[in-house]
Amino acid sequence: MKTPMELLKEFAPEFAQNQMDERALLFEHPNYQAIPGKYKLLIGIAAAAIAGSDTCTQMWVIMAKGQGVTNAEIVEAIMVARYMKQATVNDTVAGALAKLSGDAP
């Protein structure tokens, strides 16, 4: 089975190349190194997990492991993602809860 990126390369090679160019910009260009690569990988894991993409989460974990990121660091990034997702649910339902409590019109 082809990966999402392999499919994108097949059907829209220019867009696939653009995505790879952006990745190189973020991870390799000297002007964009304020955040160390390790942290960028952990952010990628968390973002993919929050977005609900199993394929992307696995890809980011593989890349992170290849760069020496520890299991404990990866698990902690996933825990932060879970916590943040939970917080966004709280925000999403705040209006409905306000209606239940009589605080909203």
Side-chain angles (χ1 to χ4, degrees):
M1 178 182 275
K2 293 182 181 178
T3 67
M5 185 54 103
E6 289 168 340
L7 290 166
L8 187 60
K9 286 178 183 177
E10 183 177 331
F11 292 103
E14 302 84 4
F15 282 97
Q17 185 59 52
N18 182 63
Q19 188 166 350
M20 296 310 295
D21 290 346
E22 287 179 0
R23 182 186 180 286
L25 183 68
L26 287 171
F27 282 88
E28 299 167 17
H29 195 283
N31 290 348
Y32 300 102
Q33 299 307 310
I35 298 173
K38 173 182 186 173
Y39 299 127
K40 290 177 185 178
L41 292 165
L42 292 168
I43 291 167
I45 291 167
I50 287 172
S53 175
D54 179 55
T55 301
C56 289
T57 303
Q58 289 185 45
M59 178 206 65
W60 282 98
V61 165
I62 290 166
M63 290 190 320
K65 291 298 292 178
Q67 293 297 314
V69 179
T70 68
N71 289 354
E73 291 168 324
I74 291 168
V75 169
E76 195 166 326
I78 292 168
M79 291 167 48
V80 169
R82 183 187 173 284
Y83 173 77
M84 292 307 300
K85 184 67 173 181
Q86 181 179 333
T88 64
V89 170
N90 295 343
D91 179 60
T92 300
V93 302
L97 293 175
K99 288 190 183 312
L100 294 176
S101 71
D103 288 346

